[in-house]
Amino acid sequence: MSKRIITALLIVLSLFMVSCASSRQVTIDNPYPDFLADMPPFDLEQPSFYAKLFTKLKLYRAQKLAMIPRRNRVELYYRSGANAYCIIMPQHARQTIIDSTLKFAEDWDAKNLTVQKATAKNAYGVSLVDLWFGVSGPINGAEDVPMYVNYLFVDGKPYLVLRFPTKLCKDSHDLYTPYEEIYLTREQAEKLCTILDQSALEALVEQHQDQQIYEY
């Protein structure tokens, strides 16, 4: 069999595997509201985290983290590698991160963390987000992208990991979102949870509403 035929078969096989992985359906029961207040978005504290650059972890700080009261969403903007990203998290996804961080901390304190491969079965939790990306900006993307929350050891140190598998982009027949991972130390994860806490976000919404009324 010629090298050209083998290469073609490998390409077809890889496309098939990506299609199968990205087409896996995740459904969730989302009891949370999609609206908090009729007011403009406002910025939140910018969290830090790690992402993989080739095989190494690189420290990043979010370019922007914004609360969208009209949709009860939080939008995370950052650049990793060649792409700029925007991950849009509804309340269910934010609560999944918070609940997973609590379980991660419990396992840490109980010394139950072991070296393992991150899978859907051993995830602390799963939710759905919108994920947008692009070289010049996050202009391509997909809705309802699964977000699995696991832990992984890197260089002997445990990290909480948000994993986003590939999915066919909206209004596209052949463009998929990249497979993306966000790594958080325990300290970073717990800090992020304080920012994403719903009662804290609602207090900020109320504060901004009062400020608008005062300015008016």
Side-chain angles (χ1 to χ4, degrees):
M1 187 178 295
S2 69
K3 290 184 177 179
R4 182 177 297 179
I5 294 176
I6 292 174
T7 301
L9 288 173
L10 289 173
I11 292 173
V12 171
L13 179 60
S14 63
L15 290 173
F16 174 75
M17 291 176 66
V18 168
S19 176
C20 289
S22 60
S23 63
R24 186 179 295 114
Q25 294 296 315
V26 172
T27 58
I28 60 171
D29 180 18
N30 184 10
Y32 301 110
D34 290 325
F35 176 87
L36 287 183
D38 186 12
M39 59 180 295
F42 57 85
D43 290 344
L44 302 169
E45 184 178 350
Q46 296 166 297
S48 61
F49 53 89
Y50 290 87
K52 270 194 174 179
L53 185 62
F54 302 108
T55 59
K56 298 291 185 180
L57 291 185
K58 181 179 178 181
L59 180 63
Y60 290 90
R61 182 171 293 277
Q63 294 175 323
K64 183 177 183 178
L65 188 70
M67 177 65 191
I68 318 297
R70 292 190 180 102
R71 297 187 63 208
N72 190 19
R73 300 289 194 269
V74 169
E75 297 182 353
L76 170 65
Y77 293 85
Y78 68 99
R79 178 172 285 277
S80 176
N83 283 313
Y85 289 92
C86 174
I87 298 176
I88 304 175
M89 297 177 284
Q91 186 175 344
H92 187 281
R94 304 193 301 267
Q95 190 60 47
T96 297
I97 294 172
I98 292 170
D99 293 341
S100 299
T101 299
L102 290 173
K103 295 175 184 175
F104 178 57
E106 289 174 2
D107 285 341
W108 183 306
D109 292 338
K111 303 186 186 304
N112 287 334
L113 299 176
T114 59
V115 176
Q116 62 179 13
K117 183 178 180 180
T119 67
K121 289 185 178 181
N122 62 25
Y124 283 129
V126 60
S127 189
L128 297 171
V129 302
D130 296 347
L131 190 150
W132 297 83
F133 71 100
V135 175
S136 59
I139 58 175
N140 304 298
E143 298 173 347
D144 294 333
V145 175
M147 178 190 73
Y148 295 97
V149 187
N150 295 82
Y151 73 83
L152 283 172
F153 277 81
V154 179
D155 296 329
K157 183 177 180 180
Y159 292 82
L160 191 73
V161 187
L162 315 182
R163 302 187 302 114
F164 307 93
T166 63
K167 185 173 181 179
L168 184 67
C169 289
K170 189 175 181 180
D171 303 323
S172 175
H173 297 293
D174 55 5
L175 182 63
Y176 286 81
T177 62
Y179 177 80
E180 180 66 2
E181 294 178 334
I182 291 176
Y183 290 75
L184 298 153
T185 65
R186 177 175 175 174
E187 182 181 1
Q188 289 173 331
E190 291 175 342
K191 177 62 177 177
L192 179 61
C193 289
T194 64
I195 301 172
L196 299 182
D197 177 73
Q198 189 65 19
S199 59
L201 291 174
E202 290 179 6
L204 287 173
V205 168
E206 185 175 345
Q207 178 182 328
H208 279 73
Q209 282 180 312
D210 292 343
Q211 184 177 352
Q212 284 183 329
I213 293 173
Y214 177 78
E215 291 175 349
Y216 178 78

